[in-house]
Amino acid sequence: MGEPERLEFARERHVLFLEAMASELPGNYAPQEVNHLTLAYFAVAGLSLLRELDRVNKDQIAKWILSFQVHPEMDNEFDNGHFYGFCGSRTTQFPSTSVKDPCYSVSHLASTYSALAILKIIGYDVANIDSKALLSSMKKLQQPDGSFMPTHIGAETDLRFVYCAAAICSMLKDWTGMDKEKAKQYILNCQSYDGGFGLVPGSESHGGGTFCAVAALCLMGFIQVDLASNLQESTSIDICLLLEWCVQRQEEDGGFQGRRNKLSDTCYAFWIGGVLKIIGAYHFIDHGALRGFLLSCQSPYGGFTKLLYDQYPDIYHSYYGLAALSLLEEDGLEPLCVELGILSAAL
C-alpha cells in the first residue's frame, strides 16, 4: 500500500491558508494586536518558503512595515533613552485618547526583528533604513549582565531579546548595536546542567531558549558550522551535553517536545531541529519519523496544528511546521537560513 493520503504534503492548502492570513487575520487574533508585525512575519515568511510571494503586494508591504518605525525628532534625541526601532502595532504606535498611555511610540526588539526579516524576505534594501538611530538606541537596552530589555520602558530580560538584538545587527550588517562579549557571557550563564538553555540563568532548559542561545552565538561568530569543529574548538558551551539534550527531545511519535515530560509540539521541530542544524548534528535525528509527525499535524483547512489531533491550525505553528519541513528538504519548499529565520536567498 502507498503512503496514506493524510501524510502527503498539502502544499496548495497551506498556500491558500497563508494567503488568507496575509490578507486579513480572523477575529480570534484580536487579543494579539500588539504583535501585529510578528503575525505578519509568520504569514509572509511562510509564503516565501512556499515560493508564493507573488500572491502579496511586496511594495505595499514594505510601505506598511516602514510606517511602524519610530524616528527621533532631532539628532540630539539619540541619548534620551528611547529605542528607535519598530512598533509592533498601531496600538503601541499611537497614544490613547482617553488615558495617558506610557506605551505610546514604544518600539520593541521582537517587532524590530520581525520588521527587518519581512523587509529582507520581500527584497527591500534595509540599507535604506535609519540604522544609526536604531542601533545606537538599541545598545542602551543591553543590561550590565549582557541581556537585553525589549523596550526602553522596561520589561523582562531573557535570551529571546539577546537573539533579537543579534539578528538585528546581523541583518543590518552592523554590530555597533550590542556588546557581543557581554551577550556571549549572558548566554553561557543560561546553559543548564543538562545541556539545554533556560531563558534566564538558573531556569529549566527550554527548546525556544536553546534555539535563541545557539542561533545568537552562531550569528555573533562564536559557533562553527560543522559538528567536528564545534567539538574540537572551545566554544565555551558544552556541545556534547547540548547535543544529548536536543536528541533526547525527539519523542516516539517522531515529533519534538520543548521540555522534558511535555507533548510533542510542531514548533519544536524547528526550534530544536534548528539547533541541531546550526551545530552540524541534524543527521542524528530520525528524519522520516519527524516528517510523519509534521504531516500528521496538517489541518484539512490548510496550515498546521500545535499538537497531533488538534482540530484547528494557527499561524504560528503553520509557519514553524513549514520551516521544520524546509530543514528536512521537503520538495516544494525553499531552503531556510536557520539562524535568521529567513530564506537563504534573502541574505
Side-chain angles (χ1 to χ4, degrees), residues 141-143 145-150 154-162 186 190 199-201:
L141 298 179
Q142 190 167 20
Q143 304 301 295
D145 64 357
S147 65
F148 275 82
M149 282 196 307
E156 70 270 28
T157 62
D158 59 51
L159 283 176
R160 293 172 298 172
F161 308 122
V162 175
Y186 181 79
C190 289
L199 284 170
V200 297

Side-chain angles (χ1 to χ4, degrees), residues 280-293:
Y282 197 65
H283 56 285
F284 283 111
I285 64 172
D286 187 331
H287 292 197
L290 177 57
R291 181 178 184 272
F293 170 83

Side-chain angles (χ1 to χ4, degrees), residues 264-267 293 297 304-308 310 312 314 317:
S264 297
D265 181 325
T266 300
C267 67
F293 170 83
C297 289
F304 290 74
T305 59
K306 171 184 171 70
L307 306 172
L308 279 174
D310 275 359
Y312 298 114
D314 66 79
H317 290 91

Side-chain angles (χ1 to χ4, degrees), residues 311-324:
Q311 188 173 8
Y312 298 114
D314 66 79
I315 193 170
Y316 173 86
H317 290 91
S318 296
Y319 168 69
Y320 285 114
L322 292 172

Side-chain angles (χ1 to χ4, degrees), residues 194 196-197 204-211 242 244-276 285 290 293-294 297 306-308 317:
D194 57 5
F197 289 78
E204 179 185 9
S205 294
H206 182 275
T210 301
F211 174 86
L242 170 64
E244 182 180 0
W245 184 85
C246 288
V247 170
Q248 287 178 351
R249 301 282 71 75
Q250 188 167 24
E251 293 284 271
E252 290 184 3
D253 59 15
F256 279 84
Q257 59 181 191
R259 292 178 286 160
R260 294 182 186 273
N261 302 314
K262 295 291 185 178
L263 295 174
S264 297
D265 181 325
T266 300
C267 67
Y268 293 110
F270 173 78
W271 294 128
I272 296 178
V275 171
L276 291 168
I285 64 172
L290 177 57
F293 170 83
L294 290 168
C297 289
K306 171 184 171 70
L307 306 172
L308 279 174
H317 290 91

